[in-house]
Amino acid sequence: MIGLSAAYIPAGLAFGAIAVGSAVDRDNPKRWNNAAFWGLFSASFLAGDYLGDLVNGVLVLAMVVTGGLGGIGLSRPATTSEAAREILARRLGERLFVPVLLIPATALAGTLIFAHARFGGVPLVDPMQVTVISLAAGAILALAAAVALTRASPRVAVDEARRLMDQVGWAAILPQLLAALGAVFALAGVGHAVGEIMGVVLPQGSRLAVVAAFCLGMAAFTMIMGNAFAAFPVLTAGLGAPLIVGRFGGDPAIMGAIGMLAGYCGTRMTPMAAHNIVPTALLRLPPGAVIRAQTPTALFVLAANIVLMDALVFRHWR
Amino acid sequence: MTAAPMMSLLGVAVVIVGLVARFNPILVVTAGALVTGIAGGLDPVSVVSALGKGFNDSRFISVAFLVLPVIGLLERAGLQARARSLISRITAVTAGRLLITYLAVRQLTAAVGLLALGGQASMVRPLIAPMARGAAETSLGTLSEDSGRLIDAHAAGVDNVGAFFGEDIFIALGSVLLIQAVLLQNKLSVEPLRIALWGIPTALAAFTVHAFRLVLLDRRLARGSTEEPRE
């Protein structure tokens, strides 16, 4: 069965190439920091399954030190000018879109085909991971198409990847780090501690107060942890399960669905979320620009979630 | 309840203070995790191990960076310039209308599980943002730097809003399965289909509000003013 390692090996090799490209870039004063950071990321992808939890933890700490304290230097490998790009664009025309569109097309075809493909009774591709594996396959096919189209050397491809990866910088590991923070929160019992406090603070008989606290808590914890997936176990253990479902007899499916969506409103408003950090870096926007574009929608939808949950969760649906 | 879990909230406080003080987020998150674990009564080796395991188990999130070499190569060959000129030939398109269309497509495809059809690196930077700028330039002429940035920020926002408020409707995607798994840990058994179904009202609310705001974006661009409205 093809599993996630099919996607991790190419990712590890790509980050390894970026690390080597960084190390030989004499124009970047922080080149050794960049090389160490991307090299460690590469090691995590290539060897993470064999290192054991403690060594992986030390690897994470080393990445945090090189990326967070040392800092990633922005490399500026030679690229084409705006004017040259206009000319190239005219020559290559609509063919330029083929490799870009190959990524979603492959991801789509892979997801549809491999979700059910079996070989000797065993799924050909791990059904839980088919999207990620198809995306990786799409990226590799698209790279081949782009190289054929532009006739670029491998060195140029590495330099262009390095230019974009350095723009993302330390933020590249934030989503995984937040997932790890969520795991530590669960282990240390943060959810139960939040529940204890809420049980004391909230008015005993008010269903609306509990629903509002749950939705606002989801948004707030998501803003802290950058990820609604990390906040959901905390708030469900603390408020959703014991109070909304347990005390007031609410419907767990509605509590879960709308609660998670309340968390997503927090994602749209926090500087911790990779989905806000990555485009800010990639589009070279001032800090907070993406969050400002999203916040009014997020606040309105958060209010809508509280109203919807209060109206729906306590009904008895068949 | 023992004191240890209560003490673990110290880690939450560390994250909040670090965020407000604008320290580097990866330092803040790591410090928060270490304080949470140690104040919560775990030994340092277990905390570092938990951190390593959590990081290792979530590597699938970062596979999306594999698209960057392709995007870089094509940008070098003029992809963004081509996207701008392609859209400028359609005169009926405005930045807001283009983004509303992308919002609908993104939300619907996410709702049937095709999250990989969008994305900040693979769609927004190379195609959607330049196309939205091109559309605005066709109707309004050369854009000010502020207007261009505002359009870019909204292009990124549309991709996020569409993906997040669409994916909760698909039963086999991470979010619905995670909700089911967490509910089960709390001894609540629920069918995934019901969780997905109850994501629909919020999805409709999100589309309506955001599409309306994109209509307002067109008006603001036409006025040539990029100040944030008081909403």
Side-chain angles (χ1 to χ4, degrees):
Chain A
M1 189 169 72
I2 300 173
L4 275 176
S5 60
Y8 290 170
I9 291 167
L13 294 175
F15 286 120
I18 289 172
V20 173
S22 303
V24 299
D25 179 3
R26 288 174 195 284
D27 297 331
N28 182 357
K30 290 193 173 175
R31 63 178 168 140
W32 295 116
N33 238 341
N34 287 26
F37 186 77
W38 299 124
L40 288 164
F41 209 19
S42 167
S44 168
F45 277 98
L46 294 175
D49 289 334
Y50 312 103
L51 292 177
D53 293 342
L54 182 61
V55 178
N56 273 319
V58 173
L59 184 146
V60 171
L61 294 180
M63 287 191 81
V64 169
V65 169
T66 50
L69 285 180
I72 300 296
L74 204 57
S75 64
R76 302 189 186 282
T79 188
T80 48
S81 69
E82 270 308 312
R85 288 179 178 196
E86 295 277 351
I87 295 165
L88 281 166
R90 225 164 290 147
R91 189 193 309 158
L92 293 169
E94 258 63 86
R95 280 180 294 166
L96 271 173
F97 296 114
V98 173
V100 196
L101 298 177
L102 213 53
I103 300 171
T106 311
L108 172 60
T111 306
L112 296 178
I113 295 166
F114 290 120
H116 302 291
R118 289 174 162 267
F119 191 77
V122 179
L124 191 60
V125 176
D126 185 348
M128 296 300 288
Q129 312 296 356
V130 73
T131 309
V132 173
I133 295 164
S134 303
L135 177 67
I140 293 165
L141 276 179
L143 183 61
V147 167
L149 181 69
T150 60
R151 297 202 185 88
S153 71
R155 173 70 193 264
V156 170
V158 171
D159 274 350
E160 291 295 331
R162 197 155 60 87
R163 180 168 61 87
L164 296 180
M165 248 2 271
D166 282 351
Q167 278 177 27
V168 178
W170 53 261
I173 63 163
L174 185 59
Q176 286 182 241
L177 215 47
L178 287 160
L181 175 68
V184 175
F185 273 15
L187 209 58
V190 171
H192 292 287
V194 170
E196 289 280 291
I197 291 175
M198 287 298 176
V200 175
V201 173
L202 290 175
Q204 291 292 309
S206 171
R207 299 197 305 199
L208 179 61
V210 173
V211 165
F214 179 59
C215 290
L216 295 173
M218 271 301 296
F221 258 80
T222 301
M223 289 180 73
I224 294 168
M225 298 164 79
N227 185 340
F229 285 11
F232 189 69
V234 175
L235 269 294
T236 299
L239 276 176
L243 294 181
I244 294 180
V245 179
R247 187 188 294 170
F248 294 116
D251 185 325
I254 299 173
M255 178 272 286
I258 300 181
M260 183 67 90
L261 288 160
Y264 286 175
C265 297
T267 319
R268 301 280 60 83
M269 299 188 283
T270 178
M272 297 293 266
H275 287 88
N276 300 332
I277 295 171
V278 170
T280 304
L282 285 178
L283 298 166
R284 291 196 204 98
L285 291 166
V290 175
I291 294 169
R292 273 198 299 280
Q294 297 172 155
T295 296
T297 302
L299 288 174
F300 189 92
V301 176
L302 181 57
N305 278 328
I306 296 172
V307 172
L308 282 169
M309 191 186 292
D310 190 54
L312 299 173
V313 78
F314 303 115
R315 285 169 191 259
H316 293 282
W317 305 93
R318 277 285 116 200
Chain B
M1 178 155 229
T2 56
M6 278 298 163
M7 293 302 286
S8 70
L9 290 176
L10 271 178
V12 179
V14 167
V15 176
I16 295 174
V17 170
L19 252 186
V20 171
R22 293 179 176 273
F23 286 117
N24 183 311
I26 64 172
L27 294 177
V28 172
V29 170
T30 309
L34 296 176
V35 171
T36 300
I38 291 164
L42 304 169
D43 66 285
V45 171
S46 315
V47 182
V48 174
S49 297
L51 205 58
K53 180 170 167 42
F55 189 85
N56 199 53
D57 288 348
S58 58
R59 285 174 296 170
F60 64 92
I61 303 172
S62 303
V63 169
F65 288 126
L66 262 182
V67 307
L68 285 182
V70 186
I71 302 301
L73 266 188
L74 294 170
E75 282 183 13
R76 179 191 179 91
L79 177 67
Q80 290 162 318
R82 195 68 199 176
R84 271 196 304 273
S85 73
L86 181 73
I87 204 74
S88 64
R89 279 179 248 154
I90 310 170
T91 47
V93 168
T94 63
R97 283 180 209 160
L98 178 91
L99 292 178
I100 290 171
T101 310
Y102 182 65
L103 176 66
V105 171
R106 182 80 166 123
Q107 213 173 354
L108 287 170
T109 51
V112 293
L114 302 172
L115 263 190
L117 285 191
Q120 301 292 352
S122 56
M123 288 299 277
V124 173
R125 173 174 162 135
L127 294 179
I128 304 301
M131 281 182 162
R133 278 180 180 240
E137 278 169 358
T138 307
S139 48
L140 304 170
T142 309
L143 296 171
S144 70
E145 196 172 321
D146 281 350
S147 295
R149 282 186 180 155
L150 184 69
I151 292 171
D152 282 353
H154 271 280
V158 160
D159 190 79
N160 282 339
V161 170
F164 274 71
F165 294 110
E167 66 164 340
D168 247 34
I169 301 173
F170 186 62
I171 51 167
L173 219 57
S175 51
V176 170
L177 298 181
L178 181 98
I179 293 170
Q180 188 194 14
V182 171
L183 291 177
L184 207 58
Q185 283 167 13
N186 289 277
K187 300 184 180 59
L188 299 167
S189 171
V190 175
E191 295 160 49
L193 189 61
R194 293 198 67 234
I195 301 172
L197 192 69
W198 290 109
I200 294 175
T202 305
L204 293 174
F207 179 81
T208 311
V209 178
H210 208 68
F212 178 70
R213 291 193 53 231
L214 292 169
V215 173
L216 294 183
L217 171 70
D218 267 346
R219 290 202 194 153
R220 199 177 346 153
L221 290 170
R223 281 200 311 270
S225 133
T226 59
E227 62 189 320
E228 291 291 321
R230 285 180 217 97
E231 281 174 276

